[in-house]
Amino acid sequence: MAAPSQTAEQRELALVGKVEMRIALADSDSKLESLLSTYLAPLLLKLASEHVSVRNKVISVCQHISTRIKPQSIQLPVAALIKQFKDHEGSLIRHFDLVYIKQGVERLLEGKKAELLPAVISGIAKTGSHGSEIFNLLLRLLDAFTLPPRGSKDDLDLRHRLAVTQDDATYLAYWIGKFILFTPQNAGATACPGLNAEEYEFIGLHGRESLWVPSTGGLNLTRTKVLVARLLASGLFTDQERFLPALFASADAASTISDVGEDMLKRALPAMDLEDEHLLKTLFGLYFGEKDATRVRAPLRLKILGLLNKSRRSTTFSHNLMRLVDDGVAASGMGGDDVLMSGTIAG
């Protein structure tokens, strides 16, 4: 009598069980590393199973794997996991992909980290709710990536070579700008000058402790801002895309950042239309604060006033001009760093 055929659920459980057994029988770190290189990404795909029992079994195997990979010498298939993260939008798959991507990246040599940056940056605009994690991953890879000489053929071809779309470039320029403005605040703070609560949480990974403490595995904030400013100055972006983040960088307190920003700003300014209504609204919004974001700091406000002075159309924003006058009067009585010696808006 023929044995009854297995159900789809039973077949999936059997496959996961075979992977579990192979991993359990791996009697050395090198064997485990080889098995994970082959099976880890496909195993995580089973988290998309319609069967709860299969998903729970995969999670159970992952718990075992996490115990076995504590030795830092065990390399993980980071490149395959990044590709899988990009190709599959299931939240559970992406969550576990990221768990192992973050562990794996820290174990890679600098050369291997540099090889990952193209995979991370291409399609970054489509990372959805995991965007903050992927952006932080990008920041961690920048130190290992050597940019081509500015203006060289490789630099001019960088955007095409890294397969960066218009959406990717717009997304990156926006978040690079917010990162340049980002200043960690005391515990419990939900925003900083120029960033609203949502943006502050995005950059700060929702209050992740030690994120900017190098001694505990975090990033050096100033050094990382220098790296993103250099990336911004590369052929990856057009002058229009880099203009606002370049403006932010030009007003940074650290000369290593402001020097790069000032150079970019000078190059980008001729390509900008300072009579553009949307741009003017953005500049006024940064100056006064908007969308739950507090106004930017005084040095940047001075830079913004200089740009508004170059625009005749800015004089048509009568309400904002009155606010500027009131702001100037208030600032003149405060003294210190908050005093803004603003010239008359072009008339």
Side-chain angles (χ1 to χ4, degrees), residues 50-119:
E50 63 179 296
H51 306 292
V52 174
S53 61
V54 176
R55 299 196 298 272
N56 287 340
K57 182 66 174 178
V58 173
I59 292 172
S60 174
V61 177
C62 286
Q63 290 171 341
H64 173 68
I65 290 172
S66 294
T67 301
R68 294 285 305 277
I69 62 174
K70 288 183 178 179
Q72 294 295 301
S73 60
I74 299 176
Q75 299 294 306
L76 301 176
V78 180
L81 292 170
I82 289 175
K83 183 179 185 307
Q84 180 165 281
F85 177 93
K86 294 292 187 67
D87 292 343
H88 297 273
E89 296 185 0
S91 59
L92 198 56
I93 294 175
R94 284 188 160 185
H95 170 78
F96 278 91
D97 280 340
L98 275 174
V99 167
Y100 294 113
I101 287 169
K102 287 186 288 186
Q103 289 185 60
V105 164
E106 298 304 319
R107 304 177 183 195
L108 293 175
L109 297 175
E110 293 298 288
K112 292 294 184 181
K113 287 183 181 180
E115 292 174 5
L116 291 177
L117 189 132

Side-chain angles (χ1 to χ4, degrees), residues 56 67 111 168 201 259 276 282 320 346:
N56 287 340
T67 301
D168 291 337
E201 287 192 353
D259 288 350
D276 179 75
T282 298
N320 284 320

Side-chain angles (χ1 to χ4, degrees), residues 13-79:
L13 286 170
L15 286 171
V16 174
K18 287 180 181 178
V19 172
E20 179 183 33
M21 182 61 68
R22 291 193 178 201
I23 291 172
L25 292 176
D27 57 5
S28 68
D29 289 350
S30 60
K31 287 183 180 179
L32 177 62
E33 181 178 312
S34 178
L35 285 168
L36 293 177
S37 177
T38 302
Y39 294 112
L40 181 56
L43 172 68
L44 297 182
L45 275 182
K46 288 299 180 182
L47 290 167
S49 171
E50 63 179 296
H51 306 292
V52 174
S53 61
V54 176
R55 299 196 298 272
N56 287 340
K57 182 66 174 178
V58 173
I59 292 172
S60 174
V61 177
C62 286
Q63 290 171 341
H64 173 68
I65 290 172
S66 294
T67 301
R68 294 285 305 277
I69 62 174
K70 288 183 178 179
Q72 294 295 301
S73 60
I74 299 176
Q75 299 294 306
L76 301 176
V78 180

Side-chain angles (χ1 to χ4, degrees), residues 278-298:
H278 177 73
L279 176 59
L280 292 172
K281 286 182 178 179
T282 298
L283 293 174
F284 277 120
L286 289 163
Y287 186 96
F288 292 114
E290 63 176 356
K291 296 179 180 178
D292 301 323
T294 57
R295 64 193 310 183
V296 295
R297 297 185 185 277

